[in-house]
Amino acid sequence: MGRVTSRRRVVRLVDDAAVARPDTLAVEEPLEIRVRGRSLAVTMRTPGDDFDLAAGFLVGEGVVRNPSDIASIRYCAGATADGTNTYNVLDVGLAEGVAPPDPSIERNFYTTSSCGLCGKASLDAVRTTATWQVAADPIRLDPKLITEFPTKLRAAQRVFDRTGGLHAAGLFDDRGNLLCLREDVGRHNAVDKVVGWATRGGRLPLTGTVLMVSGRASFELVQKAVMAGIPVLTAVSAPSSLAADLAEEMGLTLVGFLRGTSMNVYTGGHRLGVTVGAR
């Protein structure tokens, strides 16, 4: 298995003083995801929880809905010219009767750690039909409870403490308990790892839960939440306009700029006891 962190010698400048010192960096390596032997995507990720990442990715694309849809996940030996196993290529075997991914969702380029949509054939291909309707989720939350999530998320980020270079995604229940946390150089990967954890554990749909992300809320993160049946998405930073549009369309509660005791509620304010005005 690959390392999560790496050590590198740096020179630290403070005022006029230069001091050589070791520094800890978060590892970033490519992971190729194959389905039934056919390459589907290459994502730049932090090694670890790769099977969860692959499962969550396939949930987001509408390929997988239940743990029984996955027959196997394995690293591919012989992925390099000398036949060694780099643990950077894995193949997902689908159960009999499960349709393979539509060719339109294949990534034509690398999915970078900052953007999970790079290489999509078209935006329409992203709007996958949701299995569960989050608009009907009856969850209600006290805004004060949500303000505790960033602190709880940060306290659980063990690798971030060592590197300062990872995003996090955390899944909370309606009482504020942290159910699962994953870290990665990419926000979308961290979310996939959380969703994959839930998928492989037979926990979908994630009714009555809140997904918290450490950065901004993109269109793809809203899509991933909806596809996993998560009714509430909160983020430390801003959502994009497309993320807010999709959240409104799907009935998802979207909260941004969650910092201290303040937040912006963009959609689905009824779950927090507030009304969001028209644009």
Side-chain angles (χ1 to χ4, degrees), residues 1 16 22 26 34 42 47-49 69 72 78 102-103 162 205 240 249 254:
M1 296 293 294
D16 295 327
R34 300 175 182 176
V42 177
D49 302 303
D69 291 343
S72 63
D102 188 282
R162 298 160 59 192
S240 67
E249 175 186 332
L254 179 61

Side-chain angles (χ1 to χ4, degrees), residues 60-125:
E61 300 297 347
V63 178
V64 168
R65 292 171 175 80
N66 302 290
S68 59
D69 291 343
I70 300 175
S72 63
I73 305 178
R74 64 179 182 86
Y75 288 106
C76 298
T80 60
D82 60 3
T84 59
N85 194 335
T86 63
Y87 296 99
N88 285 335
V89 181
L90 58 79
D91 185 64
V92 180
L94 299 178
E96 185 176 352
V98 177
D102 188 282
S104 66
I105 72 171
E106 291 182 11
R107 266 55 169 175
N108 300 315
F109 305 100
Y110 280 101
T111 296
T112 71
S113 56
S114 60
C115 173
L117 293 178
C118 302
K120 275 287 192 178
S122 68
L123 186 61
D124 289 340

Side-chain angles (χ1 to χ4, degrees), residues 125-143:
V126 183
R127 294 182 177 272
T128 315
T129 302
T131 304
W132 302 284
Q133 302 303 312
V134 298
D137 196 304
I139 184 174
R140 295 294 185 272
L141 297 162
D142 184 340

